[in-house]
Amino acid sequence: EVHPFDGVDPTSTKNHSSGRIDNAWQSEHPEGGHLEKQGSSTSLQHNKKKKADPFPSIYLALEIIVIILFINVVQYDFAGVSFNKQSKSFDVDASAGQAQVNKYYPAFQDVHVMIFVGFGFLMTFLKRYMYGALALSFFLAAFAVQWSTLVYGFVEQIIHVSTHENSTFHTIHMDMTALITGDFAAGAALVSFGAVIGKASPTQIILMVVFEMIFFSFNEIINVELLVVTDAGGSMMVHTFGAYFGIGFARVISPKASFGNPHQAQGYVSDAFSMIGTLFLWMFWPSFNGALADGAVQERVITNTVLAMTGSCMSAFIFSRMLRGTRKFEMEDIQNATLAGGVAVGTAADMIPNPGIAILVGFFGGLLSTIGYVYISGALEKAGLHDTCGVNNLHGMPGLLAGTIGSICAAAISTGDERFSMVSTDVMFPALNSTAGCESVSFLPCRSPGQQGGVQFLALILSLLWALAGGFLTGLILKKVDPPKKLFQDEYFETPEDYDEMARIL
């Protein structure tokens, strides 16, 4: 019988060939080396000894809690709809409501496609975990939208009441912008999932989201509302936070069998499926960065993002050939580093004053990401950190670059410079000394541009440290909670009879 893993190098973290797993590796890592076929007697005996599955009961309880809370504390806040206390009826301005839908729904749909199609397909590169990549991404994102709406609303009110006099608690408002914000939070959770894909059970994943949305909400609200920073594309609050929360989480829960596991193998078809996700993300990323911007500022965000992503596409192809010893394109670079421009430009997408600078930022983002995949991922694994998707390379390091560029742009911005004529500084930087009402800002009111740049950089560092600490703590809590028995395999799904055969062929 030909086994679906004949020829695999057990010391390699990335295997395109298929073949038999080394007996020494399998004996050293029994938790990651189960290879029995589902129909075998060994597998049947193993199934009889299985403990009760905690996943359905945990998720059912969470969903019941979510539904009860939505019924009691969430209220629609649609544009053009107001309650008339005298007539005890609703007054409806249909034109205002339609204007709100026309303004936000197209961008929301683009972001929705990114979250539920782009991220899911991008993670299908593991040829024995394609079901898990698509389905668990779908499931995780749907729950994250629900849970983040509640948590974000609660945390925002807690901080607001504690920092503002005469402020009281109220119901959480639900409208189009809340749906977009929910997708942003789901994006952070999906980035974190990328660091542990194939190594965490569905139970661990959903509970990770429960904790992560709490840390995510505190981080964003403290930075945006208290420190008053700008982060148009969410490169600090979504990408940097999501990447390093996932890395902190992975540092704790990744078993030793993750390192050099021959099941962490890519294939021709799985890599092609992953490119579907790359292309969807590449096309719709400008909407992600500009979804909540207005008017001319939104136009600048979208234009700068498109240009930056063309730059990262160019650099990913160039340096994949240049830095790899094979002198061939590596699909891992093409799938990921081509997207890094969208992350690198995100924080300053509304501030970059020149289209050439936007391309340059994207070019360096793609270069940094490619260097990460070629050199840094291996070094981190040797240091004991296993990052399945390389989220540090696509989201983490380009996010740090974005935050740094954002702080430089904020420090350099000038209302008298015609290059910034499209930048509405009073909206973007309400704490600047040139903005009316800047004295009402609680932290460092009426700042100079240089001080604003310093606060921007402070927010980047806080996001990084808060994410690492939150992920590490969450990992400590969940490490022993229903861990997976097989790594990088679709053990949680009914697979067709040709599952092993297809994995060998593909």
Side-chain angles (χ1 to χ4, degrees):
E1 180 183 5
V2 178
H3 200 279
F5 291 97
D6 284 355
V8 171
D9 176 8
T11 64
S12 173
T13 59
K14 183 172 181 296
N15 296 291
H16 291 277
S17 60
S18 54
R20 187 181 307 278
I21 287 184
D22 184 87
N23 291 332
W25 185 94
Q26 188 171 354
S27 63
E28 292 175 7
H29 308 286
E31 70 273 32
H34 295 298
L35 289 175
E36 68 272 10
K37 294 192 175 182
Q38 293 181 355
S40 67
S41 60
T42 306
S43 179
L44 292 174
Q45 292 174 4
H46 178 70
N47 290 338
K48 291 179 181 179
K49 299 177 182 178
K50 281 185 177 179
K51 297 180 181 178
D53 183 4
F55 172 78
S57 56
I58 290 175
Y59 183 65
L60 179 60
L62 286 172
E63 189 66 4
I64 291 172
I65 292 170
V66 166
I67 292 171
I68 292 172
L69 289 174
F70 262 82
I71 290 172
N72 288 279
V73 302
V74 180
Q75 178 179 319
Y76 288 129
D77 185 23
F78 295 150
V81 180
S82 59
F83 184 72
N84 190 319
K85 294 183 179 179
Q86 291 182 342
S87 63
K88 296 183 178 180
S89 62
F90 285 96
D91 295 329
V92 179
D93 181 354
S95 61
Q98 188 62 51
Q100 189 80 343
V101 172
N102 292 342
K103 178 180 179 180
Y104 288 114
Y105 189 69
F108 164 73
Q109 276 290 77
D110 290 352
V111 174
H112 221 44
V113 169
M114 281 186 66
I115 298 301
F116 287 93
V117 179
F119 274 103
F121 273 97
L122 182 66
M123 296 184 188
T124 59
F125 65 96
L126 295 173
K127 65 180 181 180
R128 294 183 65 85
Y129 200 76
M130 295 176 72
Y131 280 12
L134 281 170
L136 293 181
S137 296
F138 183 19
F139 159 72
L140 177 157
F143 178 71
V145 170
Q146 296 178 346
W147 185 245
S148 66
T149 300
L150 295 169
V151 174
Y152 195 94
F154 288 140
V155 172
E156 185 176 38
Q157 292 183 56
I158 289 171
I159 292 177
H160 198 77
V161 169
S162 62
T163 57
H164 294 76
E165 294 183 4
N166 303 321
S167 181
T168 59
F169 289 98
H170 55 78
T171 55
I172 298 170
H173 296 165
M174 170 58 66
D175 59 7
M176 290 294 301
T177 59
L179 293 177
I180 295 173
T181 302
D183 271 356
F184 288 164
L190 285 168
V191 171
S192 300
F193 175 47
V196 296
I197 188 169
K199 303 176 296 186
S201 69
T203 305
Q204 289 175 316
I205 292 167
I206 200 66
L207 292 177
M208 179 195 76
V209 175
V210 170
F211 288 100
E212 181 173 6
M213 291 302 97
I214 298 172
F215 287 98
F216 171 86
S217 298
F218 272 104
N219 182 67
E220 178 163 319
I221 293 166
I222 288 173
N223 284 321
V224 174
E225 297 195 9
L226 295 186
L227 298 185
V228 194
V229 301
T230 180
D231 186 25
S235 293
M236 294 191 293
M237 308 304 159
V238 176
H239 298 286
T240 301
F241 179 88
Y244 291 109
F245 187 96
I247 286 171
F249 187 63
R251 181 63 182 85
V252 179
I253 73 157
S254 298
K256 291 182 179 180
S258 303
F259 298 88
N261 193 312
H263 288 293
Q264 190 185 347
Q266 297 174 233
Y268 192 79
V269 171
S270 62
D271 271 339
F273 266 85
S274 182
M275 274 300 296
I276 296 173
T278 298
L279 294 174
F280 269 100
L281 290 169
W282 200 91
M283 289 189 298
F284 291 118
W285 209 295
S287 294
F288 186 94
N289 284 0
L292 295 178
D294 289 313
V297 174
Q298 186 179 53
E299 183 179 9
R300 173 174 285 211
V301 171
I302 292 172
T303 303
N304 280 336
T305 302
V306 172
L307 292 174
M309 297 195 73
T310 61
S312 61
C313 183
M314 296 300 101
S315 62
F317 276 87
I318 292 169
F319 292 105
S320 182
R321 284 284 292 266
M322 184 180 295
L323 300 180
R324 299 279 182 179
T326 59
R327 294 188 178 183
K328 294 183 179 181
F329 299 117
E330 172 55 60
M331 284 305 295
E332 184 178 44
D333 306 331
I334 308 307
Q335 290 158 354
N336 296 281
T338 52
L339 303 172
V343 180
V345 80
T347 301
D350 52 353
M351 294 183 276
I352 291 176
N354 183 278
I357 295 176
I359 295 175
L360 184 64
V361 168
F363 188 88
F364 276 107
L367 168 60
L368 182 62
S369 182
T370 306
I371 290 173
Y373 282 103
V374 176
Y375 300 113
I376 297 176
S377 289
L380 291 177
E381 288 202 15
K382 290 180 181 178
L385 176 62
H386 188 279
D387 174 6
T388 307
C389 285
V391 298
N392 178 60
N393 309 320
L394 173 55
H395 303 276
M397 294 190 299
L400 295 175
L401 175 63
T404 304
I405 293 172
S407 66
I408 294 171
C409 287
I413 203 163
S414 171
T415 55
D417 191 332
E418 63 178 8
R419 294 176 301 172
F420 293 99
S421 59
M422 293 172 64
V423 177
S424 181
T425 54
D426 58 334
V427 175
M428 287 174 49
F429 302 111
L432 277 184
N433 50 22
S434 60
T435 303
C438 63
E439 63 277 357
S440 63
V441 174
S442 58
F443 179 80
L444 197 59
C446 296
R447 309 164 184 166
S448 67
Q451 289 173 324
Q452 179 66 44
V455 174
Q456 293 278 142
F457 192 73
L458 173 63
L460 174 65
I461 300 303
L462 290 177
S463 297
L464 169 64
L465 297 178
W466 184 241
L468 286 170
F472 191 85
L473 178 61
T474 302
L476 291 176
I477 296 171
L478 300 181
K479 183 175 183 179
K480 300 297 184 182
V481 179
D482 189 31
K485 296 178 177 63
K486 300 180 182 180
L487 303 180
F488 310 113
Q489 300 177 74
D490 275 325
E491 65 166 310
Y492 296 102
F493 292 85
E494 289 289 346
T495 54
E497 293 181 358
D498 62 352
Y499 172 64
D500 284 335
E501 179 66 16
M502 291 301 294
R504 182 183 68 82
I505 295 173
L506 302 180

